Amino acid sequence: GFVKVAHHQVLFPHLWTDLVYHTELLRILLKFVSRRRRRPLFLALDRFLEQVETRPNKAFIVFENKRFSFKDADRESNRIANALRVASVLRPGDTAVLFMQNEPAFVFCWLALAKLGCACALLNSSIRARSLIASVRCCRGASVLIASEGETQTLSKELTASREFGLESSDADVPQTLRASVSFTSPAVYIYTSGTTGLHKAAVINQTRLLAALAVLASNGVTDSDVIYVTLPLYHTAGFLVGFMGSIETGSTIILRRKFSASQFWDECRAHNVTVIQYIGEVLRYLCNTPQRASDKEHAVRLAIGNGLRSDVWREFLKRFGHIQVREFYASTEGNVGFVNYAGKIGAVGRVSFLHKKLFPCALIQYDTEHDEPVRNSRGLCVEVPKGQTGLLVSKITEIAPFVGYAQNEQQTEKKRLRDVFKHGDVYFNSGDLLKIDHDNFIYFQDRVGDTFRWKGENVATTEVSDIISMLDFVEEANVYGVQVPGHEGRIGMAAVKLMDGVEFECKKTFDHVCRFLPIYARPRFIRIQSSVDITATFKQLKLKLVEAGFNPSMTTDSLYFLCERERTYVSLTPSIYQQILSHSIKL
């Protein structure tokens, strides 16, 4: 019998993990469905109120040196809700705008608004002026803006009329009748997606979506005995939907921090006995870049959950900080499809299974990066890519996988709908992301559509190139993008690089390294040394400004370098070399 078992394990190496995960997934779906059937309606807020009943004195939020139990949070939010009823024009069904950094009041205000039957727009607390006013405008009928003391100074300059009210109000329960008209399709929160293409768009998260979000941490094995460290902004999907909503579901404790700090991260994890951490994109890289310490492996963290983790950082993170289960997932704020890498396969964002495809019909289709559109066959329909090849992820818009779109922005919403995909008349959500499925059905994120560029007829994936450049020991971070060169088709590779502290850029070493690891067309011909890499609040690298400046030495005071094949090194990009490139006397 033993031989047979071993044989099966090779044939279906992930059989057991798949079974465990899918059993869990079905259990969560059934719970979701039974909650949807409850009358009166059962919403995310009701799950919070259940926790207040069952564990009133358990720590819900720990912030700096304050501790708030579930009961405290309930009382504080009642107080705010009652004050808002007295002091403002807010009516059930209205939207209030929340403009705050991470602090307990953020959570209390959201709970208060939910109790009043109101939606809440979560403003990015680092935006200013033009974006701020545009963001407020996105929300229909937003009559009230709630800001913390720290933010009121900023606001009073931007938006004039404001008044403060003291929270001397009662903490009596808020009558349930106020939220009697809230339905599953009512907007619960508006979350702004980063404006890589100009101003921010508000993605509408309705009550159903919020109910579904409750399950994210629970489905990854988080329970009420866990302590979750939330350092990501609460006004974004990761902090709000995964961290905050997840804790409401599981009854776990949130250690809330105003801002992510790499240097204090592990000390705080030790001080609070943190068991679950969240990350996005560069967060774990920042942790790996901190000086090594003898205590690196001494902590209680068992699970890291997030997205945007690159394979090299993943390996380094595990090697340095010990055995931590990494649950990398793929999802977008407004999207209708998600994957989770429950098998822990380094580099993958998940696994595609028969059940997953049944519930969320999705596909990878051929994409023409030159014209920024899907490839279509003679019948005008899209073409699925074979396994192992990169394609655009599209997901069918269905009852179970709806796409609500953006507030007050039908044009951007329609842009995300792809029609006539496999049959005339069908509608899919266009994720704007390029992914690839391997022969073991693991799925990998490759690039964002706008981040892939073509040079010499070849597609260049910017994330792959920046991974390679980041391998150099003097490079802290690399941001790769394509720039246009007059008289040339496509775009040529350029990298904005931030060096490690106190080191010089090594021209020859960089040249040898890119030649060794990258094909000719993918080697960055231009390098720009930046003292800091511009990043948005979610650590997404901003490429727009860099692309505009291109490789013109008069557009920046940063040092620029040019890959010179004749001298087999990177050379300083002088105004004279720049002119020779424009006049084609230097061949690219």
Side-chain angles (χ1 to χ4, degrees), residues 69-216:
S69 65
F70 278 92
K71 187 75 198 136
D72 294 334
D74 187 40
R75 259 200 253 97
E76 290 295 322
S77 56
N78 283 347
R79 201 173 279 145
I80 295 171
N82 289 323
L84 283 169
R85 285 179 74 193
V86 174
S88 76
V89 291
L90 214 51
R91 295 281 165 270
D94 287 352
T95 300
V97 176
L98 204 53
F99 188 66
M100 279 184 187
Q101 292 190 344
N102 281 11
E103 57 193 280
F106 188 115
V107 170
F108 305 152
C109 284
W110 183 79
L111 290 167
L113 290 164
K115 288 175 176 181
L116 294 171
C118 293
C120 178
L122 310 178
L123 277 201
N124 176 332
S125 62
S126 57
I127 62 173
R128 294 294 174 257
R130 182 163 152 249
S131 300
L132 182 64
I133 288 158
S135 301
V136 175
R137 276 205 194 115
C138 276
C139 298
R140 238 197 325 261
S143 51
V144 173
L145 189 144
I146 306 172
S148 54
E149 265 174 88
E151 307 299 336
T152 8
Q153 276 73 41
T154 325
L155 282 174
S156 47
K157 294 193 210 64
E158 323 267 350
L159 309 161
T160 45
S162 77
R163 61 191 178 131
E164 298 179 25
F165 53 85
L167 289 184
E168 293 308 307
S169 68
S170 117
D171 59 9
D173 284 345
V174 181
Q176 214 174 340
T177 48
L178 288 172
R179 45 184 191 275
S181 59
V182 176
S183 73
F184 284 126
T185 53
S186 305
V189 263
Y190 295 92
I191 293 182
Y192 293 84
T193 64
S194 63
T196 34
T197 50
L199 292 169
H200 299 251
K201 304 189 288 282
V204 184
I205 310 288
N206 63 20
Q207 294 289 355
T208 295
R209 185 75 188 262
L210 223 49
L211 208 54
L214 289 176
V216 178

Side-chain angles (χ1 to χ4, degrees), residues 430-448:
N430 174 356
S431 72
D433 291 325
L434 300 171
L435 288 91
K436 154 175 113 179
I437 299 174
D438 70 9
H439 292 280
D440 289 329
N441 281 329
F442 281 102
I443 185 160
Y444 300 82
F445 177 81
Q446 299 297 104
D447 229 329
R448 277 248 149 97

Side-chain angles (χ1 to χ4, degrees), residues 260 262-263 265-266 282-293 296 309-321 476 500:
F260 167 76
S263 58
F265 194 90
W266 293 108
E282 302 295 304
V283 163
L284 299 189
R285 181 200 290 279
Y286 295 147
L287 294 179
C288 290
N289 280 343
T290 56
Q292 295 222 339
R293 285 161 46 180
D296 277 347
L309 180 58
R310 288 156 33 171
S311 309
D312 54 335
V313 182
W314 194 326
R315 287 194 183 84
E316 194 182 336
F317 179 76
L318 294 180
K319 195 169 87 194
R320 179 151 163 205
F321 299 108
E476 188 176 314
M500 293 286 188

Side-chain angles (χ1 to χ4, degrees), residues 1 3 18 53 100 123 141 186 242 256 287 320 328 378 405 447 452 472 479 484 492 504 508-509 519 568 574 583:
V3 179
D18 285 350
E53 281 296 296
M100 279 184 187
L123 277 201
S186 305
V242 180
L256 185 63
L287 294 179
R320 179 151 163 205
E328 167 84 5
S378 56
D447 229 329
T452 297
L472 288 159
N479 186 357
Q484 286 182 318
I492 197 166
E504 296 286 304
K508 182 82 181 97
K509 202 167 169 181
R568 300 201 56 74
T574 58
S583 64

